[in-house]
Every structure is written in C-alpha cells, then in structure tokens.
C-alpha cells in the first residue's frame, strides 16, 4: 500500500465515502475488480479502474492500493478469547521439545511473577499457561504432580493441554478447587486432570482471575486477531470453559468498536434464558457431548488403539472416551432452543458423540418439525470423526459444521497423534471437508484458539492441503468457509463478501501473485482461464509465506493499520 496515502483512522468523522483503487478486489460482483467504494460502513460499488474515476471526484478520501489485495475480513468461528490472550501474554508451552524444557519454562515463568503470586493462595490471581503436548516429547508423558510442584513451589498454577480437555494443576490450585476434587471423574493424584476434575480446577482458576488479567488477555487476543485480518470472532463460552463474567466482559469490550466484532455462544444445557441474558447469539458452542482425541476423552464407538497405555499410566480404564450428554438430552436442548428461536450447538468430535448429536437433533425435528430445526442452522463444533451416514444426516437436518482445519495440520497424517490414538484407518476418516461440501453441509472455519493459533491463511492452506488427499477442498472453497461461512453460521447471508450492500468489513494484503488452487488440476487450469471469471487468491502452496495484513476494517471502521 502507498505509504503516503493510508486508510482513515478509527472513527474519523470526516470520511463517510472512501474509494480504494489500484489493487485487486476479491469480489463475486466483478472477478476482475480493481476498486471499491465504501459509504457509511457499507460496500457501495465494486468495479474497474476506469470506472473508478467517476467516483473519485465525490469521495471524501481516495486510497491508492499500490497493487495490494482486498478481501473480505476473515471470520474465526470458534475461539476462546481470554485463554488465547493468556497464551499470547503468559506462558506458552506449544513449542516445547520435551519434558525437561517444559518444567524449566514453568519454573522460570513462576519465578518472574510478583512475590504475592509465588507465595501461594490466589489473591493475586492464578498463574495460567497453555499448550503442552506430551505426544511430541521424547519422554511421551506429561509431568507428574511432584515434578510440577517442584517447578511451581507454592504458586497456584493451571496449565491446559493443547486440546484444552485436560490440564496440569499444581497442588496449591487443587486445594483451591475443594476437598471433593478427588471424588470427581478424571481425577488422578499424580497425573493431569481430565473430565469433571479438569472442569473443576478450570472453574477455580478462572474464578480467581483478576479483572485486570482478564481484560489484558482479551485485549491482546482482539488486537492479534485484527493484525491477522480477522474482522469477527465467535466466542464459545460456557460454565465449564469460562464464566458468565468472562463472556459479558468480552462482549462489552468488543462493543467499544476498537477491534473485531464478537458474537458470543453460551454452552450450557437447557440454558436458553441464561444465554439471552448474557447477550449470546446461541445456546451452544462448547456444550460438550464429549472431549478430545488427544486427551482420550472424545467418545468413540470402538476403543482407542492405545487405551492400554493410558490405563497403565493413569489408572483410567475407559476405552472409548467420555460421554457427557445423551441423545435424549441433546434432543431436549434442541427442542428448547428451537421453540425459543435460538440457535443450538454442541461440541462433538468422536464418532459415537456425533451419532448421539444426529439422533438427538432428529428426535427434536420429529417433535417440533424439520423445517423449524433447519431454519435455525444449529451447529456442531469440530465434527471430526464422521462417516457417510452421519454426513448425510448433517445435510438432512441443516446442521452447520464449525470445523478447524489446523487440527489436521497439527495431528493428522499416518504418523500423527490421531493415528497413534485411533489407528491409521480411523485417523484417515478425520475431518472429511470434501465429503461435507459434496453433501451440501455448510462449513464455518475457525481455530479453536488457543488450541491452534489464530492463523486464517494457515487454516485455508490446511484445508486445501489436507494430509488425507481425498478430504482436500479448493482454496476458494476454504476461503469462503473462513469468511462467508462464519456469517452464514450466524444466519447472516449478506455479509462476508465484497458486493454492493454488504457490510464493509475487509482486509488489505501485501501484493503478490494470485492463483486458483484446487485438488483437481483440471479445475485449476480452467479456473485460471479469463473466460472462467474466477478471481484468484494468494498462492498457499506449503512452504510459501502467507500474505501480510496491511489493514483490517470492520463495517467501515479501521481497526488495524500496519506501521501505525
């Protein structure tokens, strides 16, 4: 972008009409557009450079794009803002190469904190971190409680596993969680906590987080999202993963208008009134039907391939994961939401959990009518281990699949964590994006940050270059799922595109070659022919750098400007 002419600053009252020209505008209105007119936060016109001259005379400001690319802003359809912010500003263990390094980082982090936080108790807040993954370590195991306490001393410390479905909790934090912790499912006196025990220590950690810690984390997350061209996020909150105070504080912060838009979901069974009171757009998100594959809590029809190792190490004899909700409970929740006109949603990863979801939603449709169920576009978060019958049921019931392609990039493939936990045959069925699209199931892409990083172009790349080739989709389809798909999941069909009448939420990217990439080379070859009228996108071939965001604009308001 021309450094001498930049976008107006946030809230500039002198600019109601803005013309961007001299670049590439990714738009269904004109596949060869080079200019766009924005008026009062709405796209007013998209077209060619020659036609832009007639608009330049009346515009309050004109921006020379200098060959930069303009696209709709990304939508991250599944985030946890506070946890992501804490990972950005606190202890991040995602790139630890082994157990010893993780313990050293934990000890260094604790020692850097103020004396009050190190001395025990929670008056100064619980110390929090994220991202450890024992499957990537040569030791193949997480720290024991004794090893953790040696690193933490008397500090109350909560460290979530990369999938956020189990955690390390120091003895000081376990004491805060209460005397009944040991009786809860998933408790172990020396190993990480899962299931109900994990939910208990997470609630305790969040309850003792100071308002200053929470606000700093939320601001950090929203700032990072804006820097990456993300214009809106779906916050998946709930009593087992955050708190009412956390959600309302985030929505209030977002309402200030200085960053991406935030749409909240509240994942509590039957809590339609609570969701509405909190300002949520749906009673769903992380309403857990099961857990996660990495923590062996995703609910399966058949045992985990490595369940014997889990039982020997932790004493947990479960072979098929955790079932948190039955099909009958799911049906009751969907009925309550549908009758209230509120979108429902569920976290479901394993094949048994997904079977329970479709059975429950189908039972709800039998009671209130299929058309009413379909109209609300109820969501399923993650939806990983899907078979043909379940995919067909998704399409029939009008379910939206809110999925995270970076999961495959992190844990897919024949040598990945999925294969170790599930075996290569089941691992090869994970995240079947192409089959979902063929069946007509709407996709909305997200990161589940902090489970995987905020990285929208990386997400698009992960879907287009899925480690299982038959699950790959075109870059164009993946980009649509990460922009328009997020808006459609909210029931807003006019957003997520740059066309007249659409909200002017867009990102400006560094100049580069634009191409059309698809799993079938014949499609790609035809699409690059000018006669096809298919606009190009950046080359996302693995190994290439992804585009740099120069600016992010939300409904006409600049929320990020590179170099400023």
């Amino acid at each position: 972008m021309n450094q001498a002419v930049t976008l107006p600053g946030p809230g500039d009252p002198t600019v109601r009409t803005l013309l961007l020209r001299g670049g590439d505008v990714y738009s269904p209105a004109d596949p060869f557009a080079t200019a766009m007119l924005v008026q009062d936060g709405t796209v007013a016109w998209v077209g060619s450079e020659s036609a832009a001259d007639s608009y330049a005379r009346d515009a309050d400001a004109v921006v020379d794009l200098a060959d930069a690319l303009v696209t709709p802003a990304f939508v991250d359809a599944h985030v946890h803002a506070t946890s992501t912010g804490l990972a950005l500003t606190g202890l991040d263990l995602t790139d630890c190469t082994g157990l010893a390094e993780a313990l050293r980082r934990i000890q260094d982090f604790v020692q850097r904190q103020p004396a009050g936080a190190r001395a025990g108790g929670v008056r100064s807040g619980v110390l929090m971190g994220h991202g450890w993954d024992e499957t990537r370590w040569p030791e193949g195991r997480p720290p024991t409680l004794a090893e953790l306490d040696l690193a933490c001393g008397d500090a109350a410390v909560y460290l979530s596993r990369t999938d956020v479905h189990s955690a390390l909790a120091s003895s000081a934090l376990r004491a805060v969680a209460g005397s009944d912790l040991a009786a809860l499912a998933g408790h172990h006196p020396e190993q990480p906590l899962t299931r109900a025990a994990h939910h208990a220590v997470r609630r305790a950690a969040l309850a003792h987080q100071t308002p200053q810690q929470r606000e700093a984390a939320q601001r950090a997350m929203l700032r990072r999202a804006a820097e990456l061209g993300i214009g809106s996020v779906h916050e998946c909150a709930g009593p087992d993963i955050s708190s009412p105070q956390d959600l309302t504080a985030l929505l209030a912060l977002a309402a200030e208008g200085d960053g991406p838009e935030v749409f909240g979901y509240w994942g509590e069974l039957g809590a339609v009134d609570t969701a509405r009171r909190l300002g949520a757009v749906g009673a769903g998100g992380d309403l857990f039907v099961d857990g996660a594959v990495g923590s062996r809590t995703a609910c399966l029809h058949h045992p985990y391939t490595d369940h014997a190792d889990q039982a020997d190490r932790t004493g947990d004899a479960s072979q098929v994961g955790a079932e948190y909700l039955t099909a009958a409970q799911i049906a009751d929740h969907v009925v309550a939401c549908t009758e209230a006109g509120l979108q429902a949603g569920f976290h479901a990863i394993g094949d048994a959990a997904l079977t329970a979801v479709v059975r429950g939603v189908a039972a709800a449709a039998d009671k209130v009518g299929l058309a009413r169920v379909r109209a609300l576009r109820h969501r399923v978060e993650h939806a990983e281990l899907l078979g043909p019958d379940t995919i067909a049921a998704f399409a029939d019931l009008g379910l939206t699949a809110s999925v995270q392609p970076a999961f495959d990039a992190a844990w897919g493939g024949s040598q990945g964590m999925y294969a170790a936990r599930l075996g290569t045959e089941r691992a090869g069925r994970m995240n079947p994006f192409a089959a979902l699209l063929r069946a007509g199931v709407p996709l909305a892409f997200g990161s589940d940050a902090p489970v995987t990083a905020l990285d929208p172009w990386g997400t698009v790349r992960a879907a287009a270059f899925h480690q299982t080739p038959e699950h790959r989709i075109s870059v164009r389809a993946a980009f649509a799922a990460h922009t328009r798909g997020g808006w459609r999941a909210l029931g807003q069909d006019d957003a997520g595109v740059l066309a007249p009448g659409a909200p002017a939420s867009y990102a400006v990217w560094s100049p580069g070659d634009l191409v059309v990439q698809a799993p079938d080379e014949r499609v790609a070859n035809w699409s690059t022919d000018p006669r096809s009228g298919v606009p190009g996108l950046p080359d996302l071939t693995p190994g290439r750098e992804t585009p740099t965001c120069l600016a992010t604009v939300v409904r006409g308001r600049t929320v990020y400007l590179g170099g400023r």
Side-chain angles (χ1 to χ4, degrees):
M1 185 183 297
N2 190 324
Q3 295 302 306
V5 182
T6 61
L7 287 168
D12 187 338
T14 66
V15 179
R16 294 185 56 193
T17 304
L18 175 70
L19 177 66
L20 299 95
R21 64 184 304 179
D24 289 291
V25 179
Y26 187 83
S27 171
D30 183 345
F32 308 110
T34 62
M36 180 173 72
L37 186 72
V38 174
Q39 189 166 32
D40 294 329
T42 300
V43 177
W45 169 84
V46 174
S48 67
E49 195 63 26
S50 58
D53 290 335
S54 62
Y55 293 100
R57 293 187 294 271
D58 298 323
D60 296 320
V62 178
V63 172
D64 178 7
L65 292 168
D67 298 325
L69 171 67
V70 181
T71 71
F74 284 106
V75 180
D76 194 314
H78 191 123
V79 304
H80 306 284
T82 303
S83 296
T84 302
L86 289 168
L88 290 169
T89 60
L91 179 58
D92 184 359
L93 299 172
T94 53
D95 60 350
C96 278
T97 58
L99 176 60
E101 181 185 350
L103 289 169
R104 184 175 63 254
R105 287 198 198 181
I106 295 167
Q107 185 174 37
D108 290 346
F109 177 71
V110 171
Q111 290 178 348
R112 291 196 305 270
Q113 305 309 309
R118 301 196 307 268
V122 291
R123 185 170 300 176
S124 299
V126 173
L127 303 181
M128 302 181 73
H130 169 74
W132 57 272
D133 183 356
E134 81 287 0
T135 67
R136 298 179 181 273
W137 298 347
E139 298 87 353
R141 68 170 182 86
T144 64
L145 181 59
E147 291 169 331
L148 180 65
D149 283 345
L150 189 62
C152 295
D154 294 327
V157 177
Y158 171 87
L159 303 170
S160 53
R161 191 183 183 278
T162 186
D163 59 12
V164 199
H165 284 269
S166 57
L168 299 167
S170 68
S171 290
L173 178 59
R174 292 182 185 218
V176 172
S179 58
D180 61 347
L181 179 65
L184 297 178
H187 176 269
H188 192 282
E190 279 293 321
Q191 296 295 330
L193 303 178
T194 64
R195 306 191 189 201
H198 172 228
H199 294 165
V201 295
R202 179 163 57 193
R203 282 194 297 270
L206 292 173
H208 291 90
Q209 189 178 59
T210 67
Q212 294 79 10
Q213 283 179 312
R214 180 172 58 224
E215 181 179 347
Q218 291 176 348
R219 287 190 182 277
M221 180 273 174
L222 293 174
R223 182 169 56 249
R224 181 57 177 156
E227 292 170 353
L228 294 169
I230 298 171
S232 63
V233 299
H234 300 181
E235 167 70 10
C236 292
D240 289 328
I241 201 158
S242 59
S243 68
Q245 296 81 3
D246 186 88
L247 177 58
T248 55
L250 176 64
L251 294 176
L253 183 62
E256 295 177 5
D258 297 329
E261 296 181 275
V262 177
F263 299 90
Y265 285 84
W266 183 252
E268 183 177 5
L269 192 66
V272 171
D273 292 340
T274 301
R276 285 195 162 140
R277 175 174 54 82
L278 295 175
V281 297
D286 273 333
L287 176 49
F288 297 114
V289 179
D290 67 346
V293 174
S295 292
R296 298 186 184 86
T297 52
C299 192
L300 308 177
H301 284 304
H302 303 288
Y304 281 88
T305 299
D306 61 352
H307 70 84
D309 172 67
Q310 166 77 350
D312 291 343
R313 183 167 58 80
T314 69
D316 182 357
S318 171
Q319 298 184 10
V320 294
E323 180 189 52
Y324 297 136
L325 294 178
T326 65
Q329 290 173 303
I330 292 166
D332 289 345
H333 185 73
V334 174
V335 167
C337 289
T338 303
E339 290 182 336
L342 190 68
Q343 189 181 45
F346 303 91
H347 162 120
I349 287 178
D351 51 3
L354 290 160
T355 296
V357 168
V358 297
R359 286 177 177 170
V361 178
D366 288 342
K367 184 170 184 178
V368 301
L370 179 60
R372 292 179 68 191
V373 167
R374 288 178 59 90
L376 286 169
R377 307 179 187 185
H378 300 305
R379 295 171 56 145
V380 182
E381 309 298 319
H382 315 309
E384 292 198 80
L385 187 50
L386 289 161
D389 291 345
T390 309
I391 292 173
F394 267 50
D396 183 55
L397 296 167
L399 296 175
T400 295
S402 171
V403 294
Q404 295 73 42
F407 286 8
D408 176 73
W411 304 305
S414 61
Q415 303 301 312
M417 180 271 289
Y418 288 155
R421 293 281 192 268
L422 305 173
T424 55
E425 190 277 328
R426 281 187 295 182
R429 292 192 274 121
M430 296 285 280
N431 299 297
F433 305 136
L436 285 164
L437 281 183
R438 285 195 300 270
V441 177
L443 299 183
F445 281 178
S447 62
D448 198 10
V451 176
T452 61
L454 297 170
D455 181 11
W457 286 116
T459 295
V460 173
R461 171 186 282 164
F465 294 91
H466 197 295
Q467 296 198 61
T468 303
E470 58 262 38
H471 299 334
R472 293 174 181 171
I473 61 177
S474 70
V475 167
R476 185 185 183 199
F479 182 80
H482 216 350
T483 50
R484 196 170 192 178
W487 289 107
R488 285 177 165 171
L490 294 168
Q492 300 184 32
D493 293 340
D494 63 337
V497 294
L498 299 180
S505 295
Y506 58 92
V508 183
W509 306 93
S510 53
D513 294 335
L514 302 181
V515 299
V516 176
Q517 292 175 297
D520 189 329
E521 186 177 346
R522 293 169 299 175
V523 174
N525 288 340
W526 164 247
S527 297
T528 55
D529 188 308
R531 293 171 296 172
S532 70
V534 176
L537 285 165
D539 187 346
L540 298 181
T541 301
R544 293 182 65 97
E545 289 189 8
T546 53
T548 299
C549 184
L550 303 177
T552 305
V553 176
V554 175
R555 298 186 186 271
R557 183 183 179 92
T558 304
V559 299
Y560 169 71
L561 197 56
R564 178 175 292 189

